[in-house]
Amino acid sequence: MRYAIYYTPDSESLLHKLGSSWLGRDAYTNAEVEHADPRLTEYTMDACRYGFHGTLKAPFRMKEGVSFASFESALRNLANQHESFLAGQLELRIIDGFLALVPEGESVALSHLAADCVQHLDDFRIPPGEAELRKRRSSGLTDTQDALLQRWGYPYVFEEFQFHMTLTSRLSDEEAAWILPIAQAHFAPVLGHNLSVDAVSLLVEPDDGEDFVVRDRLSLIYNALKVA
C-alpha cells in the first residue's frame, strides 16, 4: 500500500469534473467517467491511475510500526497551520513533453505548502527501494535532483518543485499539436481562473498498480482566498 498527499479540487467543483472527464475516472468515487474524447484514452491512461491532482508529497510506503492514525493526525495538524489561498490563473502548458494544467507564475504559498508536506511528514516514509530509484533515474536527473531523491524519496521537491496537474503521458510534437486544441476547448471554462487551494488530500493506492483513491480531504484554515 502506498500513500500520497495531493491537491485535488473539491469533488463538486467544475475543475474536478472537467479533470475527471478528461482522464476518464473520478478519484473520489473511483468510478469510470465518460471520456471527454475517446481518442485521448491511450494518452491519459497513466495519469488516470493517479487521479486528477497536483502532487504535494509523492507516493510513498509507510514505515512498519507506525500507526495510520498518527500519520493522519500529523497531516491534519499540518493542514491546520496553512491558510487557504489563490495560487494563480490556470493555463495549459507542456512540461517536459507532458501536457498539464498549471497556475500562471509562482505561488510562494503553494511552494511552502508542498515543502511542509515533504519535510514534516517524512518520518512516516520508508526510503525507496533500488527498483524505484532506478525508475526515477531512468528519466535523467541532475545532480541536485538525484540528491533530493536520495534524501526525500522524490527528485522534484523544494527548489525543484513545479506544481502541475498532469493531463497526459509524454507527447511527441505531433501528438501535442492535435491534443492541445482539444484540451483548450475542454478546459476553457476554467482557464484564466484562479486556482483555489483550500485543502490537502490523502490518497491511497491499495495495492501495487491499482488506482489511487481519495481517502480524506483536509481543509486548510479558512481565508478570503487571497492571491499568495
Side-chain angles (χ1 to χ4, degrees):
M1 179 179 290
R2 289 194 300 168
Y3 301 88
I5 309 302
Y6 291 159
Y7 164 77
T8 61
D10 183 273
S11 61
E12 297 301 317
S13 68
L14 177 59
L15 178 58
H16 171 71
K17 295 180 187 301
L18 291 174
S20 297
S21 63
W22 177 268
L23 297 181
R25 183 176 71 91
D26 187 319
Y28 284 92
T29 63
N30 202 26
E32 289 187 9
V33 178
E34 184 177 357
H35 222 294
D37 188 321
R39 294 176 298 170
L40 298 171
T41 303
E42 66 175 293
Y43 301 101
T44 60
M45 192 177 302
D46 291 340
C48 177
R49 194 170 78 78
Y50 295 88
F52 183 60
H53 77 282
T55 298
L56 298 174
K57 185 174 180 65
F60 65 94
R61 301 184 192 279
M62 195 90 72
K63 285 181 179 178
E64 290 188 14
V66 173
S67 72
F68 176 78
S70 63
F71 170 69
E72 192 170 36
S73 176
L75 179 57
R76 192 175 302 279
N77 288 339
L78 186 151
N80 287 336
Q81 295 172 14
H82 286 265
E83 290 187 342
S84 56
F85 57 93
L86 297 174
Q89 295 180 348
L90 285 171
E91 62 181 19
L92 289 164
R93 193 182 303 166
I94 301 290
I95 301 176
D96 193 26
F98 296 84
L99 179 61
L101 268 176
V102 299
E104 185 182 27
E106 181 181 353
S107 168
V108 174
L110 187 49
S111 295
H112 186 201
L113 176 62
D116 274 4
C117 287
V118 170
Q119 186 170 5
H120 295 304
L121 300 173
D122 197 60
D123 286 345
F124 296 93
R125 174 186 66 87
I126 62 172
E130 285 301 319
E132 184 176 348
L133 289 173
R134 284 195 299 271
K135 182 178 179 181
R136 294 290 186 195
R137 287 166 173 157
S138 66
S139 61
L141 301 178
T142 65
D143 290 344
T144 296
Q145 290 167 350
D146 195 78
L148 292 170
L149 172 64
Q150 293 182 63
R151 173 60 184 88
W152 301 102
Y154 193 60
Y156 308 112
V157 297
F158 302 117
E159 65 267 34
E160 296 294 325
F161 174 72
Q162 184 177 12
F163 181 86
H164 59 282
M165 306 179 79
T166 303
L167 301 176
T168 66
S169 54
R170 183 176 276 112
L171 305 173
S172 66
D173 290 343
E174 294 77 13
E175 290 166 339
W178 70 264
I179 291 176
L180 184 56
I182 299 174
Q184 289 171 329
H186 181 76
F187 288 101
V190 296
L191 294 178
H193 291 252
N194 257 307
L195 176 65
S196 169
V197 179
D198 60 348
V200 294
S201 294
L202 168 62
L203 283 81
V204 177
E205 177 193 44
D207 207 350
D208 290 350
E210 293 187 356
D211 293 336
F212 279 80
V213 181
V214 177
R215 174 167 179 148
D216 202 357
R217 188 172 190 267
L218 306 171
S219 297
L220 305 182
I221 301 170
Y222 175 75
N223 190 17
L225 292 178
K226 61 185 178 181
V227 177

